[in-house]
Amino acid sequence: MEKKIIKTDLLVIGGGAAGSYAAVTARREDPELNVTVIEKAHIERSGCLAAGINAINAYLNPGETPESYLHYVKNDSYGLVRDDLVYSIGRGLNKVTREVEDWGLKILKDEDGNYLKRSSRSIKIEGENFKEILADEVERSGVRVLNKTAAFNYIKKDGRVCGAFALNLREDRFYVIKAKAVICATGGAAGIYEPNNSGRAKHKMWYPPFNTGAGYAMGIRAGAEMTTFEMRFVALRVKDVIAPTGSFAFAGGRQVNQQGEEYLKKYSRITTAMRLYATVRENKEGRGPCYLDLGHLEADKKEKLAESLLGMCPGVVLKWEDNQQEFSELKVEIEGTEPYIVGGHCQSGYWIGLDRSTTLPGLFAAGDVAGGAPKKYVTGAFVEGEIAAKSAVREIKELPQNFLDINISELITNEYQRVKTVLDNPEGAAASRLEEKLQQIMENYAGGRSQYYELEASKLKQARSKLKELKAESRNLKADSLRDFLAVQELLERIDVAEVLIEHLLYREETRWPAYQSRLDFPQRKKEWRKFVNSRRSPVTGKIEIIEREYKSLEEYSSFADRSQEDFYLEYNL
Ligand SMILES: Cc1cc2nc3c(=O)[nH]c(=O)nc-3n(C[C@H](O)[C@H](O)[C@H](O)COP(=O)(O)OP(=O)(O)OC[C@H]3O[C@@H](n4cnc5c(N)ncnc54)[C@H](O)[C@@H]3O)c2cc1C
């Protein structure tokens, strides 16, 4: 395994939605800037957008405003979000949408040229090739892209993040990437709980299976403050194929139980979490399985639905064809997925400032890896990428010319040796075996799907101690190749995320988000818990400390870093 040291002004880790947008923005801000993106897969087909999408879920249609967007997101999240972050996203949503349209994204329009609404805050697109469009723009901007390159630890010197260690599987290389500033955009974490499908279909999950929480884990190890891991995200999806239910619901699908009853009518406050919770309850109380019933729709509406699904989730359409199912009696079975940790649908991630700086100097975060702002989706990830890039470029300009001459030879030796030790280990467990163990622990003791997502302290404490044993076991793993080593690394990432998750789940002694975080021992939502549960793992002792942070309304965030909010938006063109 060869070592390669490179230098760059700005390092973007993860070439997904947020990372691509950040890289393009940085080059636009300063065309002289040397910007490098490292991407674990290939930038043309990676992350959440890999398979394409058919809607932009966060867009302000006429009548909507950044304020109404904040109101909606806060209400859907039971009153607890970072108002400043959500509002700032609201200010940028339409601008980034127009931008990606200019880059080539096809947005569907009516006869008058207006975007076609899917709901008050979403529009229809033909986004099968969304990722390629972003990749082309990154290339056009003159950004250096290292594909098949997975970051696994930050380089941290004198308290500042100044690059990352990464592995390139194609080149069989150990990369040391020194950077003046780093943007983490590695997405969220999947595969912490037992997936819905098993065996060779285990990767048929909602969230990308290769978003394994690397960015979270690197931050946790380096001592960054993290927020709201306990707000897990569980998607309500079409069984087996894990197709999105939103497209069916917006087409007019009715959520019914086995008896054909529209069970959501029994609940008063229908939020995203509640749609899932109600379905889980129907199943638990013997009235499942549940369905989205489309039988009443006119034939042309069903055809249109099938067409739009072909651009995002063709599996479901193929399954209908396979079963020779008649469109007239179309009814799809729905269920919840495994829980994920994801800051773009829920709000688990780095605790960040309005400028998207993390608590670690030199490090910024954007997209699903950044916390505090749920329902940001793809356009929110773009807005955060843009803000993070502008902030990083400003900071880079302040650094001395010779900043990258820092001596990190000892760090390089240690990290290289760590990889070599696993590669040279003739014995030890395979990562896949421990991955299954991890998923079983989380499934059974930390509210997996089979447990109706329910949580209680006694079981969570068992999860904590079983994870401790697992962690000890994970110190003796083997890898016969760099590819195997990546699997080891992914396992370690998931364990780090799971450990922090357990502490968050234990700490919040209420039920704030039904099904995402349902405590059997604290079933009520409590006023005094309208606050953030944050954590920080000490890089020295490994101990996880919980930090409470108060909720603040938008008005209470009147200023940011000695300037008014409005000045900030003006400066950032939002
Ligand atoms: C199945 C699915 C459907 C969705 N549909 C819609 C929709 O219809 N409309 C909508 O608005 N939003 C949708 N979303 C949400 C939206 O796609 C995401 O919120 C957004 O893409 C998040 O951007 P991100 O950059 O944070 O993550 P991603 O786009 O996932 O990018 C993360 C990138 O980091 C890379 N990476 C991970 N680990 C490493 C590492 N160690 N080193 C280097 N690179 C790494 C990954 O390969 C990936 O390319 C959907 C999400 C999913 C999962």
Side-chain angles (χ1 to χ4, degrees):
M1 180 179 52
E2 193 195 327
K3 244 183 252 162
K4 184 165 182 181
I5 302 179
I6 60 173
K7 291 181 185 178
T8 187
D9 292 321
L10 175 64
L11 172 64
V12 180
I13 307 180
S20 297
Y21 208 93
V24 173
T25 305
R27 288 280 299 174
R28 192 182 292 164
E29 287 291 290
D30 180 355
E32 300 298 310
L33 203 74
N34 181 310
V35 180
T36 304
V37 171
I38 53 174
E39 167 51 52
K40 180 179 185 177
H42 193 290
I43 192 167
E44 281 183 9
R45 284 280 167 196
S46 67
C48 296
L49 298 181
I53 56 172
N54 63 4
I56 281 183
N57 288 347
Y59 179 81
L60 306 182
N61 279 308
E64 294 292 327
T65 60
E67 287 79 8
S68 67
Y69 169 71
L70 169 61
H71 177 78
Y72 159 72
V73 175
K74 194 157 42 172
N75 183 50
D76 203 70
S77 310
Y78 295 89
L80 184 64
V81 295
R82 277 279 301 275
D83 284 30
D84 58 335
L85 300 180
V86 178
Y87 178 71
S88 67
I89 288 171
R91 289 188 68 125
L93 291 174
N94 291 15
K95 192 182 75 162
V96 296
T97 304
R98 280 191 300 276
E99 180 83 44
V100 288
E101 187 180 23
D102 285 348
W103 294 354
L105 178 71
K106 182 161 177 205
I107 304 183
L108 304 189
K109 295 191 176 133
D110 62 18
E111 309 83 64
D112 301 325
N114 302 313
Y115 291 161
L116 265 190
K117 263 167 106 164
R118 198 170 78 147
S119 72
S120 38
R121 280 167 306 273
S122 76
I123 51 175
K124 298 180 182 181
I125 63 169
E126 273 179 23
E128 193 278 329
N129 60 346
F130 208 155
K131 204 68 226 299
E132 287 160 275
I133 292 169
L134 293 181
D136 285 350
E137 196 58 30
V138 169
E139 192 185 343
R140 259 196 298 275
S141 313
V143 170
R144 167 168 52 179
V145 179
L146 294 174
N147 285 309
K148 300 280 174 202
T149 309
F152 61 92
N153 261 328
Y154 294 127
I155 299 171
K156 196 173 152 207
K157 176 89 177 162
D158 301 329
R160 186 182 168 90
V161 172
C162 40
F165 296 107
L167 293 174
N168 183 305
L169 299 191
R170 284 264 164 86
E171 300 168 9
D172 198 27
R173 273 201 182 123
F174 175 95
Y175 267 93
V176 179
I177 308 168
K178 288 181 169 185
K180 292 178 183 165
V182 176
I183 296 176
C184 180
T186 51
I192 290 177
Y193 285 81
E194 271 180 7
N196 291 48
N197 294 315
S198 56
R200 286 198 294 180
K202 70 175 183 171
H203 281 163
K204 180 75 206 146
M205 48 175 68
W206 171 74
Y207 205 68
F210 308 108
N211 281 8
T212 50
Y216 293 139
M218 293 192 292
I220 290 166
R221 286 181 213 127
E225 188 169 328
M226 296 287 169
T227 190
T228 324
F229 270 39
E230 73 279 14
M231 188 185 183
R232 308 172 299 169
F233 180 64
V234 178
L236 186 62
R237 286 296 176 265
V238 179
K239 193 175 180 307
D240 302 330
V241 287
I242 320 289
T245 46
S247 302
F248 296 88
F250 289 123
R254 290 187 306 223
Q255 226 168 299
V256 297
N257 62 17
Q258 181 62 30
Q259 287 99 49
E261 183 192 7
E262 284 192 57
Y263 55 90
L264 285 178
K265 290 187 176 157
K266 292 188 278 194
Y267 297 85
S268 56
R269 186 177 169 192
I270 304 302
T271 57
T272 314
M274 192 52 92
R275 284 176 195 282
L276 166 79
Y277 175 75
T279 308
V280 173
R281 258 188 80 166
E282 292 304 298
N283 282 322
K284 192 177 176 193
E285 292 169 8
R287 294 183 296 277
C290 296
Y291 301 91
L292 267 165
D293 185 359
L294 300 142
H296 60 288
L297 296 187
E298 295 116 43
D300 68 316
K301 276 203 170 157
K302 287 175 195 156
E303 290 290 347
K304 278 213 174 97
L305 173 64
E307 244 173 58
S308 88
L309 286 166
L310 279 173
M312 180 181 187
C313 191
V316 67
V317 184
L318 297 177
K319 194 176 170 211
W320 292 335
E321 292 296 323
D322 241 17
N323 296 348
Q324 298 188 329
Q325 195 167 0
E326 281 296 324
F327 268 1
S328 60
E329 54 193 46
L330 208 55
K331 208 164 114 177
V332 290
E333 189 177 330
I334 52 176
E335 65 174 6
T337 61
E338 72 190 274
Y340 305 101
I341 304 303
V342 44
H345 278 66
C346 285
Q347 52 178 323
S348 329
Y350 283 88
W351 183 249
I352 50 175
L354 190 56
D355 62 352
R356 271 53 182 182
S357 59
T358 69
T359 55
L360 297 179
L363 180 67
F364 299 81
D368 285 3
V369 81
K375 298 196 158 282
K376 63 179 94 140
Y377 304 116
V378 64
T379 33
F382 293 153
V383 177
E384 290 207 321
E386 177 177 356
I387 300 176
K390 287 180 175 170
S391 306
V393 173
R394 278 168 176 68
E395 193 169 298
I396 288 168
K397 286 191 176 142
E398 303 294 313
L399 293 174
Q401 282 294 317
N402 64 349
F403 179 81
L404 292 178
D405 295 340
I406 39 167
N407 181 356
I408 52 165
S409 47
E410 195 184 330
L411 292 176
I412 297 175
T413 310
N414 291 347
E415 205 60 25
Y416 185 80
Q417 199 45 50
R418 193 179 69 81
V419 180
K420 279 287 284 170
T421 308
V422 179
L423 285 170
D424 294 343
N425 187 4
E427 290 162 0
S432 56
R433 194 170 65 75
L434 265 60
E435 185 182 300
E436 272 175 30
K437 258 192 175 178
L438 165 73
Q439 291 174 348
Q440 280 164 8
I441 295 170
M442 297 304 286
E443 179 68 26
N444 296 316
Y445 300 95
R449 214 162 45 92
S450 60
Q451 309 300 309
Y452 303 103
Y453 308 108
E454 289 167 346
L455 306 154
E456 55 192 318
S458 56
K459 281 192 170 180
L460 287 169
K461 283 181 184 157
Q462 288 194 53
R464 181 197 264 162
S465 73
K466 285 175 192 293
L467 279 182
K468 212 169 163 195
E469 288 166 22
L470 185 74
K471 193 151 197 181
E473 248 186 283
S474 74
R475 294 202 179 97
N476 184 23
L477 287 166
K478 69 168 185 165
D480 295 331
S481 62
L482 221 48
R483 182 167 292 281
D484 279 359
F485 181 82
L486 190 59
V488 167
Q489 199 53 43
E490 290 177 341
L491 167 72
L492 300 179
E493 283 156 9
R494 287 176 165 135
I495 295 177
D496 281 336
V497 172
E499 274 187 338
V500 171
L501 171 60
I502 294 294
E503 297 310 316
H504 279 246
L505 289 171
L506 263 168
Y507 196 81
R508 184 173 287 283
E509 294 189 337
E510 63 155 357
T511 292
R512 181 148 296 261
W513 305 282
Y516 298 169
Q517 183 263 340
S518 286
R519 287 286 297 257
L520 286 178
D521 41 359
F522 297 100
Q524 304 303 326
R525 186 170 307 113
K526 297 180 193 159
K527 249 197 204 144
E528 63 271 26
W529 276 98
R530 193 188 188 191
K531 58 188 168 190
F532 295 97
V533 172
N534 286 8
S535 62
R536 184 182 173 274
R537 195 174 97 179
S538 160
V540 182
T541 62
K543 202 171 161 340
I544 300 167
E545 167 202 9
I546 294 287
I547 306 154
E548 290 187 6
R549 299 266 177 213
E550 287 311 309
Y551 161 79
K552 289 203 273 183
S553 67
L554 189 60
E555 296 70 42
E556 289 172 280
Y557 288 102
S558 56
S559 67
F560 172 75
D562 294 333
R563 54 198 149 158
S564 78
Q565 296 268 329
E566 278 308 317
D567 286 348
F568 175 85
Y569 294 127
L570 212 61
E571 209 179 312
Y572 279 68
N573 192 22
L574 283 170

